[in-house]
Amino acid sequence: MKEMKQLFVSKTQYNNLQEECLIMLREFIGKYKWTLTEDKEQSDVIINIVEGRFFIEIFYDKSGEYLLQDVDQKFEIKARFYKCLASYTTKKLPWGMLQGIRPTKLVYKIYHRLAKKIVDTNKSNTNKSNIIDKKEEIINELENRYMVSREMAVLAIKVASFEQQYLPQTVIEASKKFSIYISIPFCPTRCHYCSFPANSISNWEDKMDEYVNGLISEMEAVLPKLFMDNQLSTIYIGGGTPTSLNVEQLDKLLGYITSTFPMNQVKEFTVEAGRPDTITIKKLKVLRKYGVLRISINPQSMNQTTLNIIGRKHSIDDIYKAYEMAKEIGFTRINMDLILGLPGESIEDVKYTFDRIKEIRPNEVTVHTLAIKRSSKIHEEIEKYHLPNDNEIKEMLNISRKVLTSELDYKPYYLYRQKNMMGSYENVGYCLNDNPCIYNMETMEEVLSIIAFGAGGITKLVDNKGKVTRIENVKNAQSYLERLDEMIERKNHKLG
Ligand SMILES: C[S@@+](CC[C@H](N)C(=O)[O-])C[C@H]1O[C@@H](n2cnc3c(N)ncnc32)[C@H](O)[C@@H]1O
Ligand code: SF4
């Protein structure tokens, strides 16, 4: 069979249609190979839209060709494309046609439409109703209209109904609140799967003081007027690896935050920490001193061979030591990030990781499925890595769900998908004792504004109609420091 690589979609008025079809194609076939082309002659798949009629042509061994006509809506084009690819590959995608659509947002949208219908019919108030009350109708729509598998539909509904208890339920309520994200774009080394901002500590050691000062100037110039009219919900310091800062730098940053922010309003204060090899007892004590509630100590895998393969230059023992130190000085809300589908990992390796997680039982576990990010080392040298196949990924995810939800009673509380994920699955955050990370839910659902500081920080302003406006800081840490005034001006201009 000829290897297909090029997708042509003629230009249309439909937002993101080309991009969403490309993602769908990658999810069905040869994930990392597909690109969009403007050259029809060179294409292996053509979606041609001419005056409201559209044609899909798939060429492979020249015998297979599909021709579809008379469709004039973006949804229909995607749906027919999905059906073509499903019949061609004899596959189904776990999340069906949800490329470019957040599953939980879609659940909310369907729920609100159904709930409004009841209000319109009965003239009664739906404030007391819950997504779970509409479970079967929502599943039905996800399965039949969007081709989502039942298992994924149930997961999205569970997550959305959990979130419903914690997030503001009206845009008016949400418009009076905001949260803060602070980016620390430094790491000891870059992990091979990662595309997050991760400047090496050794290159930046001499300039990290300047970076912390830059952050403080940016916050000082933007926040005071926001504090006057709005309520601060959560604070999240992420990265990169925030504990790449030394004790004095952490002390200065957290000291500034706690002395100038209205901390009495804050529901949750997270410092992501992350890489176990950056966590020391002195740094943890600084975090405690300033009232940080929640941290992450991330294994990704509990197998040493895997950590070596993915370039996480620390030991399994470092994970246990960091966790013990954190418990010892009183942290109760500790998250652990894991990634399924890591190179070289077998189903047995994943079972081993979850056996260790069973013993540790952190308050939260976030289970990621490996995404092959374009700017990661794995993507650059994909042929050098042995990656699990889709069936193995499915089994690994089944293990994670079985251990966390059936055996240990964790609840899935947030969910998101990324491009180029192995098996086209998802990332899920699980928590114990109904104690989720509120910031994670806020940021996924885009219900309230998040004001972001530092290199790579993306501010999202949500207005009182729910419309989201993005303001991006530059990603490069050096450019961020050089163009700090411009970053401040960008935000203040939009904040009015
Ligand atoms: C912003 S990163 C920061 C975490 C922290 N620096 C650390 O490494 O412990 C948050 C999490 O995203 C996940 N992640 C990063 N790149 C990923 C990828 N390509 N595929 C799946 N998960 C990824 C990892 O689990 C990581 O812990
Ligand atoms: S996974 Fe964490 S430590 Fe590794 S490069 Fe990405 S942000 Fe840095």
Side-chain angles (χ1 to χ4, degrees):
M1 186 194 295
K2 181 174 170 256
E3 200 176 15
M4 300 200 295
K5 281 193 179 144
Q6 304 263 33
L7 167 69
F8 170 89
V9 185
S10 65
K11 295 237 178 330
T12 70
Q13 72 274 34
Y14 305 120
N15 273 345
N16 304 328
L17 176 66
Q18 292 179 315
E19 175 68 7
E20 288 170 26
C21 286
L22 180 65
I23 301 172
M24 189 189 282
L25 199 44
R26 286 196 185 130
E27 289 187 359
F28 268 111
I29 330 167
K31 268 182 213 74
Y32 325 114
K33 295 177 184 146
W34 283 90
T35 51
L36 276 173
T37 177
E38 300 207 338
D39 182 354
K40 216 163 142 189
E41 297 300 311
Q42 293 300 316
S43 321
D44 304 277
V45 170
I46 299 173
I47 301 181
N48 203 9
I49 300 142
V50 188
E51 291 172 9
R53 295 156 73 84
F54 98 98
F55 305 85
I56 294 177
E57 297 165 51
I58 299 180
F59 303 103
Y60 42 108
D61 54 8
K62 297 286 176 206
S63 63
E65 181 171 323
Y66 296 80
L67 186 65
L68 299 163
Q69 293 186 304
D70 287 333
V71 184
D72 64 353
Q73 285 173 10
K74 180 181 170 187
F75 177 84
E76 287 300 331
I77 294 172
K78 271 185 78 177
R80 302 262 181 126
F81 190 41
Y82 181 94
K83 282 175 188 158
C84 275
L85 289 171
S87 105
Y88 165 52
T89 58
T90 62
K91 263 173 62 173
K92 286 178 180 168
L93 297 177
W95 289 99
M97 286 169 55
L98 300 199
Q99 299 74 24
I101 303 175
R102 292 195 186 178
T104 44
K105 277 199 162 187
L106 181 59
V107 169
Y108 278 117
K109 197 169 146 194
I110 299 171
Y111 164 73
H112 285 305
R113 199 192 62 232
L114 296 170
K116 186 170 179 303
K117 221 157 99 197
I118 299 178
V119 177
D120 290 348
T121 321
N122 304 336
K123 304 271 178 271
S124 66
N125 191 332
T126 57
N127 277 348
K128 287 190 207 80
S129 81
N130 186 287
I131 285 170
I132 288 294
D133 303 337
K134 297 270 162 287
K135 186 176 164 189
E136 282 310 318
E137 284 154 280
I138 300 172
I139 290 178
N140 196 19
E141 187 158 338
L142 289 175
E143 277 190 307
N144 296 324
R145 185 168 158 81
Y146 294 94
M147 271 63 110
V148 175
S149 70
R150 188 175 175 90
E151 191 190 357
M152 296 303 134
V154 170
L155 174 65
I157 290 168
K158 267 191 197 156
V159 170
S161 72
F162 189 95
E163 286 176 342
Q164 223 182 1
Q165 310 164 62
Y166 294 89
L167 295 178
Q169 286 307 297
T170 66
V171 276
I172 302 292
E173 191 192 337
S175 69
K176 296 183 190 113
K177 296 183 177 177
F178 74 109
S179 286
I180 291 176
Y181 177 82
I182 299 167
S183 160
I184 309 291
F186 309 111
C187 296
T189 53
R190 180 183 276 288
C191 309
H192 297 182
Y193 51 79
C194 190
S195 65
F196 282 98
N199 302 281
S200 117
I201 300 179
S202 54
N203 292 343
W204 268 81
E205 222 154 17
D206 298 342
K207 282 183 288 181
M208 282 220 219
D209 283 337
E210 198 190 332
Y211 186 82
V212 171
N213 291 339
L215 278 177
I216 292 177
S217 311
E218 194 191 1
M219 291 192 275
E220 239 163 21
V222 173
L223 286 172
K225 55 184 177 303
L226 273 171
F227 289 146
M228 277 194 295
D229 304 327
N230 301 280
Q231 209 182 4
L232 178 57
S233 173
T234 63
I235 306 169
Y236 193 102
I237 305 185
T241 304
T243 35
S244 298
L245 298 182
N246 66 27
V247 171
E248 291 73 31
Q249 288 152 352
L250 278 173
D251 194 274
K252 182 164 186 182
L253 180 61
L254 299 184
Y256 168 76
I257 290 173
T258 48
S259 61
T260 56
F261 290 16
M263 297 306 289
N264 58 337
Q265 298 172 4
V266 175
K267 285 196 279 229
E268 183 183 270
F269 187 4
T270 297
V271 174
E272 196 178 11
R275 275 270 293 249
D277 47 346
T278 59
I279 297 172
T280 64
I281 192 93
K282 282 190 180 158
K283 291 184 193 177
L284 289 171
K285 281 186 177 158
V286 175
L287 306 191
R288 284 298 288 172
K289 177 170 112 188
Y290 290 109
V292 171
L293 271 182
R294 183 179 173 274
I295 59 170
S296 286
I297 297 169
N298 297 326
Q300 315 302 353
S301 161
M302 291 300 278
N303 297 289
Q304 187 64 53
T305 318
T306 311
L307 297 188
N308 299 345
I309 293 176
I310 59 178
R312 268 177 94 83
K313 302 230 164 91
H314 63 79
S315 66
I316 297 293
D317 204 36
D318 290 334
I319 302 168
Y320 284 110
K321 276 192 193 138
Y323 188 78
E324 287 314 316
M325 282 190 291
K327 292 290 269 188
E328 205 178 289
I329 66 168
F331 280 99
T332 51
R333 294 189 56 190
I334 302 173
N335 168 65
M336 289 193 154
D337 280 356
L338 300 175
I339 304 180
L340 304 184
L342 286 170
E345 288 233 317
S346 64
I347 291 170
E348 285 309 310
D349 294 329
V350 169
K351 275 189 190 147
Y352 179 84
T353 292
F354 278 96
D355 282 344
R356 303 292 76 76
I357 292 292
K358 263 196 235 178
E359 292 159 2
I360 303 171
R361 266 193 185 235
N363 181 64
E364 283 173 58
V365 181
T366 310
V367 181
H368 301 84
T369 308
L370 181 69
I372 307 294
K373 305 268 182 83
R374 296 219 147 238
S375 52
S376 67
K377 190 159 180 205
I378 293 191
H379 183 266
E380 275 165 31
E381 301 176 358
I382 192 125
E383 63 294 337
K384 290 195 187 155
Y385 294 90
H386 175 75
L387 295 170
N389 64 32
D390 286 3
N391 286 337
E392 287 169 314
I393 299 281
K394 190 171 183 200
E395 184 51 29
M396 291 171 180
L397 274 154
N398 285 343
I399 294 168
S400 73
R401 298 196 221 288
K402 182 169 161 280
V403 170
L404 295 174
T405 59
S406 314
E407 294 179 23
L408 299 178
D409 210 24
Y410 283 79
K411 296 206 177 104
Y413 79 90
Y414 94 110
L415 158 71
Y416 68 104
R417 301 187 64 226
Q418 290 176 294
K419 285 181 207 163
N420 298 334
M421 295 179 88
M422 307 275 296
S424 310
Y425 285 99
E426 67 284 321
N427 301 328
V428 180
Y430 295 88
C431 67
L432 269 182
N433 308 323
D434 288 350
N435 207 355
C437 171
I438 296 173
Y439 174 85
N440 281 342
M441 298 190 282
E442 289 175 345
T443 185
M444 277 312 133
E445 298 308 329
E446 297 181 327
V447 281
L448 50 80
S449 296
I450 311 271
I451 315 292
F453 299 92
I458 300 175
T459 295
K460 289 188 183 169
L461 300 181
V462 185
D463 72 11
N464 59 10
K465 293 193 177 65
K467 184 172 166 269
V468 182
T469 307
R470 285 164 70 100
I471 315 166
E472 294 184 16
N473 276 1
V474 286
K475 285 200 179 102
N476 181 285
Q478 186 59 42
S479 312
Y480 165 76
L481 289 177
E482 286 161 14
R483 294 166 59 188
L484 196 53
D485 289 345
E486 191 188 326
M487 302 302 106
I488 293 171
E489 177 48 31
R490 274 186 200 176
K491 272 204 258 299
N492 280 343
H493 176 70
K494 287 270 172 25
L495 286 164

Short mmCIF file of all heavy atoms in Angstrom, two decimals, residues 383-422:
data_model
loop_
_atom_site.label_atom_id
_atom_site.label_comp_id
_atom_site.label_asym_id
_atom_site.label_seq_id
_atom_site.Cartn_x
_atom_site.Cartn_y
_atom_site.Cartn_z
N GLU A 383 12.47 7.16 14.97
CA GLU A 383 12.85 5.78 14.61
C GLU A 383 13.77 5.15 15.67
O GLU A 383 13.89 3.92 15.72
CB GLU A 383 13.45 5.72 13.19
CG GLU A 383 14.74 6.46 12.93
CD GLU A 383 14.58 8.00 13.03
OE1 GLU A 383 13.48 8.57 12.88
OE2 GLU A 383 15.61 8.63 13.30
N LYS A 384 14.36 5.96 16.54
CA LYS A 384 15.27 5.38 17.54
C LYS A 384 14.52 4.85 18.77
O LYS A 384 15.10 4.19 19.62
CB LYS A 384 16.24 6.46 18.04
CG LYS A 384 17.26 6.88 17.01
CD LYS A 384 18.38 7.63 17.70
CE LYS A 384 19.33 8.20 16.68
NZ LYS A 384 20.03 9.37 17.20
N TYR A 385 13.25 5.23 18.89
CA TYR A 385 12.51 4.85 20.11
C TYR A 385 11.54 3.71 19.82
O TYR A 385 10.89 3.71 18.77
CB TYR A 385 11.73 6.05 20.66
CG TYR A 385 12.62 7.16 21.14
CD1 TYR A 385 13.03 8.18 20.29
CD2 TYR A 385 13.05 7.20 22.47
CE1 TYR A 385 13.84 9.20 20.73
CE2 TYR A 385 13.86 8.21 22.91
CZ TYR A 385 14.26 9.22 22.05
OH TYR A 385 15.06 10.23 22.50
N HIS A 386 11.40 2.80 20.75
CA HIS A 386 10.41 1.73 20.59
C HIS A 386 9.14 2.15 21.33
O HIS A 386 9.12 2.22 22.56
CB HIS A 386 10.96 0.42 21.14
CG HIS A 386 9.93 -0.65 21.10
ND1 HIS A 386 9.57 -1.28 19.92
CD2 HIS A 386 9.14 -1.17 22.06
CE1 HIS A 386 8.60 -2.13 20.18
NE2 HIS A 386 8.33 -2.09 21.47
N LEU A 387 8.09 2.47 20.56
CA LEU A 387 6.86 2.95 21.20
C LEU A 387 5.81 1.85 21.21
O LEU A 387 5.70 1.08 20.25
CB LEU A 387 6.32 4.17 20.44
CG LEU A 387 7.22 5.40 20.47
CD1 LEU A 387 6.74 6.46 19.49
CD2 LEU A 387 7.30 5.98 21.88
N PRO A 388 5.01 1.78 22.30
CA PRO A 388 3.94 0.77 22.35
C PRO A 388 2.91 1.00 21.25
O PRO A 388 2.74 2.14 20.79
CB PRO A 388 3.30 1.00 23.72
CG PRO A 388 4.17 1.94 24.45
CD PRO A 388 5.07 2.61 23.49
N ASN A 389 2.20 -0.07 20.82
CA ASN A 389 1.17 0.11 19.80
C ASN A 389 -0.17 0.50 20.45
O ASN A 389 -0.29 0.53 21.67
CB ASN A 389 1.04 -1.15 18.92
CG ASN A 389 0.56 -2.35 19.72
OD1 ASN A 389 -0.21 -2.20 20.68
ND2 ASN A 389 1.01 -3.53 19.35
N ASP A 390 -1.17 0.80 19.58
CA ASP A 390 -2.45 1.33 20.09
C ASP A 390 -3.13 0.36 21.06
O ASP A 390 -3.75 0.78 22.04
CB ASP A 390 -3.40 1.63 18.91
CG ASP A 390 -2.97 2.89 18.17
OD1 ASP A 390 -1.93 3.46 18.52
OD2 ASP A 390 -3.67 3.26 17.21
N ASN A 391 -3.04 -0.97 20.79
CA ASN A 391 -3.68 -1.93 21.69
C ASN A 391 -3.01 -1.94 23.06
O ASN A 391 -3.68 -2.06 24.10
CB ASN A 391 -3.63 -3.35 21.11
CG ASN A 391 -4.61 -3.49 19.98
OD1 ASN A 391 -5.58 -2.73 19.91
ND2 ASN A 391 -4.33 -4.43 19.08
N GLU A 392 -1.68 -1.82 23.03
CA GLU A 392 -0.96 -1.79 24.32
C GLU A 392 -1.33 -0.53 25.11
O GLU A 392 -1.54 -0.58 26.32
CB GLU A 392 0.55 -1.84 24.08
CG GLU A 392 1.02 -3.22 23.63
CD GLU A 392 2.46 -3.24 23.14
OE1 GLU A 392 2.84 -2.35 22.36
OE2 GLU A 392 3.19 -4.16 23.52
N ILE A 393 -1.44 0.60 24.40
CA ILE A 393 -1.82 1.85 25.08
C ILE A 393 -3.19 1.67 25.73
O ILE A 393 -3.43 2.07 26.87
CB ILE A 393 -1.90 3.03 24.07
CG1 ILE A 393 -0.55 3.27 23.42
CG2 ILE A 393 -2.43 4.29 24.73
CD1 ILE A 393 0.42 4.02 24.25
N LYS A 394 -4.09 1.05 24.97
CA LYS A 394 -5.46 0.85 25.49
C LYS A 394 -5.39 0.03 26.79
O LYS A 394 -6.05 0.37 27.78
CB LYS A 394 -6.29 0.13 24.43
CG LYS A 394 -7.74 0.09 24.77
CD LYS A 394 -8.58 -0.41 23.63
CE LYS A 394 -10.02 -0.33 24.10
NZ LYS A 394 -10.92 -1.14 23.39
N GLU A 395 -4.60 -1.02 26.76
CA GLU A 395 -4.48 -1.87 27.94
C GLU A 395 -3.85 -1.10 29.12
O GLU A 395 -4.27 -1.23 30.27
CB GLU A 395 -3.63 -3.11 27.57
CG GLU A 395 -3.47 -4.16 28.65
CD GLU A 395 -4.79 -4.61 29.28
OE1 GLU A 395 -5.83 -4.57 28.60
OE2 GLU A 395 -4.77 -4.97 30.49
N MET A 396 -2.86 -0.25 28.80
CA MET A 396 -2.22 0.55 29.86
C MET A 396 -3.24 1.50 30.50
O MET A 396 -3.30 1.65 31.72
CB MET A 396 -1.05 1.37 29.28
CG MET A 396 0.13 0.51 28.84
SD MET A 396 1.35 1.50 27.94
CE MET A 396 2.57 0.22 27.57
N LEU A 397 -4.07 2.11 29.64
CA LEU A 397 -5.10 3.00 30.18
C LEU A 397 -6.11 2.23 31.01
O LEU A 397 -6.57 2.71 32.05
CB LEU A 397 -5.81 3.73 29.04
CG LEU A 397 -5.09 5.00 28.61
CD1 LEU A 397 -5.39 5.36 27.18
CD2 LEU A 397 -5.46 6.15 29.52
N ASN A 398 -6.44 1.00 30.56
CA ASN A 398 -7.37 0.18 31.35
C ASN A 398 -6.81 -0.11 32.73
O ASN A 398 -7.52 -0.08 33.74
CB ASN A 398 -7.66 -1.15 30.64
CG ASN A 398 -8.60 -0.95 29.48
OD1 ASN A 398 -9.27 0.08 29.39
ND2 ASN A 398 -8.64 -1.90 28.55
N ILE A 399 -5.49 -0.39 32.78
CA ILE A 399 -4.87 -0.65 34.08
C ILE A 399 -5.00 0.59 34.97
O ILE A 399 -5.37 0.51 36.14
CB ILE A 399 -3.37 -1.03 33.89
CG1 ILE A 399 -3.27 -2.37 33.17
CG2 ILE A 399 -2.63 -1.05 35.23
CD1 ILE A 399 -1.86 -2.69 32.67
N SER A 400 -4.71 1.76 34.38
CA SER A 400 -4.76 2.99 35.19
C SER A 400 -6.18 3.20 35.74
O SER A 400 -6.36 3.52 36.91
CB SER A 400 -4.30 4.21 34.38
OG SER A 400 -5.26 4.59 33.43
N ARG A 401 -7.19 3.00 34.89
CA ARG A 401 -8.57 3.22 35.36
C ARG A 401 -8.96 2.19 36.41
O ARG A 401 -9.60 2.51 37.41
CB ARG A 401 -9.55 3.13 34.19
CG ARG A 401 -9.32 4.18 33.12
CD ARG A 401 -10.55 4.28 32.21
NE ARG A 401 -10.24 4.42 30.81
CZ ARG A 401 -9.73 5.50 30.23
NH1 ARG A 401 -9.45 6.56 30.95
NH2 ARG A 401 -9.50 5.54 28.93
N LYS A 402 -8.55 0.93 36.19
CA LYS A 402 -8.92 -0.13 37.12
C LYS A 402 -8.31 0.15 38.50
O LYS A 402 -9.00 0.14 39.52
CB LYS A 402 -8.45 -1.48 36.58
CG LYS A 402 -8.82 -2.66 37.43
CD LYS A 402 -8.54 -3.97 36.68
CE LYS A 402 -8.45 -5.12 37.62
NZ LYS A 402 -7.17 -5.28 38.31
N VAL A 403 -7.00 0.42 38.50
CA VAL A 403 -6.33 0.62 39.79
C VAL A 403 -6.88 1.87 40.48
O VAL A 403 -7.24 1.84 41.66
CB VAL A 403 -4.80 0.74 39.60
CG1 VAL A 403 -4.13 1.18 40.90
CG2 VAL A 403 -4.22 -0.58 39.12
N LEU A 404 -6.94 2.98 39.73
CA LEU A 404 -7.28 4.24 40.41
C LEU A 404 -8.75 4.31 40.79
O LEU A 404 -9.07 4.69 41.93
CB LEU A 404 -6.89 5.44 39.54
CG LEU A 404 -5.39 5.58 39.31
CD1 LEU A 404 -5.07 6.69 38.32
CD2 LEU A 404 -4.65 5.85 40.62
N THR A 405 -9.64 3.96 39.88
CA THR A 405 -11.06 4.16 40.22
C THR A 405 -11.69 2.94 40.89
O THR A 405 -12.38 3.09 41.89
CB THR A 405 -11.89 4.58 38.99
OG1 THR A 405 -11.77 3.55 38.01
CG2 THR A 405 -11.43 5.88 38.41
N SER A 406 -11.41 1.71 40.38
CA SER A 406 -12.10 0.54 40.97
C SER A 406 -11.43 0.12 42.27
O SER A 406 -12.11 -0.17 43.25
CB SER A 406 -12.11 -0.65 40.03
OG SER A 406 -12.48 -0.25 38.75
N GLU A 407 -10.10 0.09 42.29
CA GLU A 407 -9.44 -0.45 43.49
C GLU A 407 -9.23 0.61 44.57
O GLU A 407 -9.28 0.33 45.75
CB GLU A 407 -8.08 -1.07 43.12
CG GLU A 407 -8.23 -2.29 42.23
CD GLU A 407 -6.88 -2.89 41.85
OE1 GLU A 407 -5.89 -2.67 42.56
OE2 GLU A 407 -6.84 -3.58 40.81
N LEU A 408 -8.93 1.86 44.15
CA LEU A 408 -8.51 2.85 45.16
C LEU A 408 -9.49 4.00 45.37
O LEU A 408 -9.26 4.88 46.18
CB LEU A 408 -7.13 3.42 44.80
CG LEU A 408 -5.97 2.42 44.73
CD1 LEU A 408 -4.70 3.13 44.31
CD2 LEU A 408 -5.75 1.73 46.07
N ASP A 409 -10.56 4.03 44.58
CA ASP A 409 -11.59 5.04 44.78
C ASP A 409 -11.16 6.49 44.47
O ASP A 409 -11.67 7.44 45.06
CB ASP A 409 -12.14 4.95 46.22
CG ASP A 409 -13.59 5.40 46.26
OD1 ASP A 409 -14.24 5.31 45.22
OD2 ASP A 409 -14.04 5.86 47.33
N TYR A 410 -10.20 6.64 43.55
CA TYR A 410 -9.91 7.99 43.04
C TYR A 410 -11.05 8.38 42.10
O TYR A 410 -11.68 7.52 41.49
CB TYR A 410 -8.61 8.01 42.23
CG TYR A 410 -7.33 8.00 43.02
CD1 TYR A 410 -6.83 6.82 43.56
CD2 TYR A 410 -6.58 9.16 43.18
CE1 TYR A 410 -5.63 6.78 44.26
CE2 TYR A 410 -5.37 9.14 43.88
CZ TYR A 410 -4.90 7.95 44.40
OH TYR A 410 -3.72 7.93 45.09
N LYS A 411 -11.26 9.71 41.95
CA LYS A 411 -12.29 10.16 40.99
C LYS A 411 -11.64 10.97 39.87
O LYS A 411 -10.78 11.81 40.14
CB LYS A 411 -13.31 11.03 41.71
CG LYS A 411 -14.08 10.26 42.74
CD LYS A 411 -15.44 10.88 43.00
CE LYS A 411 -16.20 10.03 43.98
NZ LYS A 411 -16.22 10.64 45.33
N PRO A 412 -12.06 10.72 38.62
CA PRO A 412 -11.52 11.54 37.52
C PRO A 412 -12.12 12.94 37.62
O PRO A 412 -13.34 13.08 37.67
CB PRO A 412 -12.02 10.82 36.27
CG PRO A 412 -13.20 10.03 36.70
CD PRO A 412 -13.05 9.73 38.16
N TYR A 413 -11.29 13.98 37.67
CA TYR A 413 -11.86 15.32 37.88
C TYR A 413 -11.47 16.32 36.81
O TYR A 413 -12.03 17.40 36.75
CB TYR A 413 -11.49 15.85 39.27
CG TYR A 413 -10.07 16.41 39.35
CD1 TYR A 413 -9.82 17.75 39.08
CD2 TYR A 413 -9.00 15.58 39.67
CE1 TYR A 413 -8.53 18.25 39.13
CE2 TYR A 413 -7.71 16.08 39.72
CZ TYR A 413 -7.49 17.41 39.44
OH TYR A 413 -6.20 17.91 39.48
N TYR A 414 -10.49 16.00 35.98
CA TYR A 414 -10.29 16.87 34.81
C TYR A 414 -9.70 16.06 33.68
O TYR A 414 -9.12 15.00 33.90
CB TYR A 414 -9.53 18.15 35.18
CG TYR A 414 -8.02 18.16 35.02
CD1 TYR A 414 -7.42 18.92 34.02
CD2 TYR A 414 -7.20 17.44 35.88
CE1 TYR A 414 -6.04 18.98 33.89
CE2 TYR A 414 -5.82 17.49 35.74
CZ TYR A 414 -5.25 18.25 34.74
OH TYR A 414 -3.90 18.28 34.61
N LEU A 415 -9.92 16.58 32.48
CA LEU A 415 -9.70 15.76 31.29
C LEU A 415 -9.33 16.68 30.16
O LEU A 415 -9.97 17.70 29.97
CB LEU A 415 -11.03 15.05 31.00
CG LEU A 415 -11.31 14.52 29.62
CD1 LEU A 415 -10.44 13.31 29.34
CD2 LEU A 415 -12.78 14.09 29.53
N TYR A 416 -8.28 16.34 29.42
CA TYR A 416 -8.02 17.09 28.20
C TYR A 416 -7.29 16.23 27.18
O TYR A 416 -6.71 15.21 27.53
CB TYR A 416 -7.28 18.41 28.47
CG TYR A 416 -5.84 18.27 28.96
CD1 TYR A 416 -4.78 18.52 28.10
CD2 TYR A 416 -5.57 17.91 30.26
CE1 TYR A 416 -3.46 18.42 28.54
CE2 TYR A 416 -4.26 17.80 30.71
CZ TYR A 416 -3.22 18.06 29.85
OH TYR A 416 -1.93 17.94 30.29
N ARG A 417 -7.38 16.68 25.93
CA ARG A 417 -6.73 15.95 24.86
C ARG A 417 -5.76 16.86 24.15
O ARG A 417 -5.91 18.08 24.18
CB ARG A 417 -7.79 15.43 23.88
CG ARG A 417 -8.78 14.53 24.56
CD ARG A 417 -9.71 13.92 23.56
NE ARG A 417 -8.99 13.07 22.65
CZ ARG A 417 -9.14 13.08 21.33
NH1 ARG A 417 -10.00 13.90 20.76
NH2 ARG A 417 -8.43 12.28 20.56
N GLN A 418 -4.74 16.26 23.54
CA GLN A 418 -3.77 17.03 22.79
C GLN A 418 -3.62 16.42 21.41
O GLN A 418 -4.06 15.30 21.18
CB GLN A 418 -2.42 16.98 23.50
CG GLN A 418 -2.41 17.74 24.80
CD GLN A 418 -1.08 17.55 25.50
OE1 GLN A 418 -0.74 16.46 25.92
NE2 GLN A 418 -0.32 18.62 25.62
N LYS A 419 -2.93 17.16 20.54
CA LYS A 419 -2.66 16.61 19.22
C LYS A 419 -1.65 15.48 19.34
O LYS A 419 -0.81 15.49 20.23
CB LYS A 419 -2.04 17.68 18.34
CG LYS A 419 -3.02 18.71 17.86
CD LYS A 419 -2.28 19.70 16.99
CE LYS A 419 -2.99 21.02 17.05
NZ LYS A 419 -2.18 22.12 16.59
N ASN A 420 -1.70 14.54 18.41
CA ASN A 420 -0.69 13.49 18.28
C ASN A 420 -0.49 12.65 19.54
O ASN A 420 0.65 12.32 19.91
CB ASN A 420 0.65 14.08 17.85
CG ASN A 420 0.54 14.75 16.51
OD1 ASN A 420 -0.31 14.40 15.70
ND2 ASN A 420 1.38 15.74 16.27
N MET A 421 -1.62 12.33 20.21
CA MET A 421 -1.50 11.47 21.39
C MET A 421 -1.51 10.01 20.93
O MET A 421 -2.25 9.65 20.02
CB MET A 421 -2.67 11.68 22.34
CG MET A 421 -2.69 13.06 22.93
SD MET A 421 -4.09 13.26 24.02
CE MET A 421 -3.39 12.69 25.54
N MET A 422 -0.71 9.18 21.58
CA MET A 422 -0.68 7.76 21.25
C MET A 422 -2.09 7.19 21.40
O MET A 422 -2.74 7.42 22.42
CB MET A 422 0.24 7.02 22.21
CG MET A 422 1.62 7.61 22.32
SD MET A 422 2.71 7.02 21.07
CE MET A 422 2.78 5.31 21.45
#
